[in-house]
Amino acid sequence: MLLSMLRPVWRYRGFVLGNVKREFQLKYRNSLLGAAWTILNPLAMIVVYTVIFSQVMRAKLPGIDSTFGYSIYLCAGILTWGLFTEIVTRSQNMFLDNANLLKKLTFPRLCLPVTVVATALLNFGIVFGLFSGFLVISGNFPGMAFIALVPLLALLVLFAVGLGLVLGVLNVFFRDVGYFFGVFVTFWFWLTPIVYPPSILPQWVQPWMQLNPLAPFMAAVQGVLVRGEWPAWMSLIPLMLLSLLLCVGGLRLFRRRAGEMVDEL
């Protein structure tokens, strides 16, 4: 089923690449520095986090002696969380935002989530490339464990795509879904150990963290980048199963409702 749905998307790869290029150009249209903001914004964020937390606040992670330990921990969590939320929040509105396109042109509807993922990965690649450069320059590159980020990020994208597809279809018929997720994602951020290590939480809270599918993912990414540790792959199995379930459920929902969606837009 998946291959039969992706084959038309591959035939329209030029359409997808054109959309990614157009979105990138529109993002910085009419700005004086143009695409330079692509580098300046993430560079400013990395500088602020490293200077403020390592030099001004002198924040330390338990068991980590590195001056930049907490800064790397924070950047690792915020950058990957940013990739996740960009895919999900844009996916939940992709059919509404492209209503005119859907009504006037005939093209595989799955080109829209593919465009969302490609654009998000392009933005993430630029930011994460700068962050990786900082790790090398500051002498905190994690070594071979860095390779583990490839399957970890693939798992995150799979989860985001599945959740975004489900929310995107539901949001066409029930507009409250988009508003609800906007509120929910704020709580989700603070319930995920991104700015704090889970070890500082009270004992009675820590078992509840296991219900958060992104908690073991964040622990794996931060473990790779802060300590150079390979992930505990078994802890990621629930997230992988949930991701597959969401992708299959999202594709089935999309196939059933694709015909009605244009009428609702």
Side-chain angles (χ1 to χ4, degrees):
M1 180 181 76
L2 183 61
L3 283 178
S4 64
M5 296 180 77
L6 290 180
R7 198 170 293 122
V9 176
W10 175 250
R11 287 201 294 270
Y12 278 77
R13 59 188 180 278
F15 174 76
V16 172
L17 291 174
N19 280 340
V20 174
K21 183 180 178 182
R22 180 175 55 85
E23 289 191 17
F24 188 79
Q25 290 173 335
L26 284 176
K27 190 175 179 181
Y28 300 105
R29 189 178 60 180
N30 298 329
S31 68
L32 190 62
L33 296 180
W37 288 113
T38 308
I39 296 175
L40 293 176
N41 278 329
L43 190 61
M45 184 194 75
I46 292 169
V47 169
V48 167
Y49 286 160
T50 51
V51 172
I52 297 296
F53 288 102
S54 64
Q55 304 299 323
V56 179
M57 297 179 66
R58 298 191 181 280
K60 290 281 187 180
L61 274 178
I64 301 295
D65 294 329
S66 171
T67 306
F68 296 109
Y70 181 70
S71 302
I72 296 170
Y73 181 90
L74 190 60
C75 286
I78 286 180
L79 293 182
T80 48
W81 175 264
L83 173 64
F84 169 70
T85 52
E86 182 176 354
I87 293 174
V88 178
T89 53
R90 290 199 57 205
S91 295
Q92 72 175 2
N93 293 316
M94 61 187 168
F95 298 118
L96 298 177
D97 291 343
N98 293 282
N100 287 332
L101 205 61
L102 290 168
K103 290 177 181 176
K104 294 176 182 175
L105 294 179
T106 301
F107 63 94
R109 301 311 191 228
L110 282 182
C111 285
L112 295 179
V114 173
T115 300
V116 168
V117 172
T119 304
L121 285 176
L122 175 63
N123 294 332
F124 177 78
I126 294 170
V127 180
F128 200 76
L130 289 171
F131 178 60
S132 300
F134 162 75
L135 293 177
V136 173
I137 293 170
S138 64
N140 287 281
F141 191 75
M144 288 297 292
F146 192 79
I147 299 171
L149 292 178
V150 176
L152 285 174
L153 292 175
L155 178 59
L156 181 69
V157 170
L158 189 69
F159 179 54
V161 167
L163 182 58
L165 192 56
V166 171
L167 292 175
V169 175
L170 291 178
N171 201 27
V172 172
F173 300 97
F174 310 101
R175 305 296 164 87
D176 289 330
V177 170
Y179 295 113
F180 172 77
F181 187 75
V183 175
F184 179 75
V185 78
T186 303
F187 287 96
W188 198 353
F189 174 83
W190 289 105
L191 292 172
T192 304
I194 294 172
V195 299
Y196 56 86
S199 58
I200 68 168
L201 295 173
Q203 287 292 329
W204 65 270
V205 174
Q206 294 192 18
W208 291 97
M209 294 297 290
Q210 303 303 317
L211 299 177
N212 182 350
L214 286 179
F217 170 81
M218 286 297 170
V221 170
Q222 289 162 336
V224 168
L225 291 172
V226 177
R227 300 182 180 85
E229 294 176 347
W230 289 89
W233 297 110
M234 294 299 288
S235 68
L236 297 168
I237 288 179
L239 177 61
M240 186 172 65
L241 294 176
L242 181 60
S243 303
L244 293 173
L245 187 64
L246 283 170
C247 284
V248 172
L251 286 172
R252 290 174 66 92
L253 185 64
F254 173 76
R255 291 190 72 178
R256 285 185 181 180
R257 301 296 179 187
E260 304 169 32
M261 283 168 54
V262 176
D263 298 329
E264 287 289 332
L265 292 169

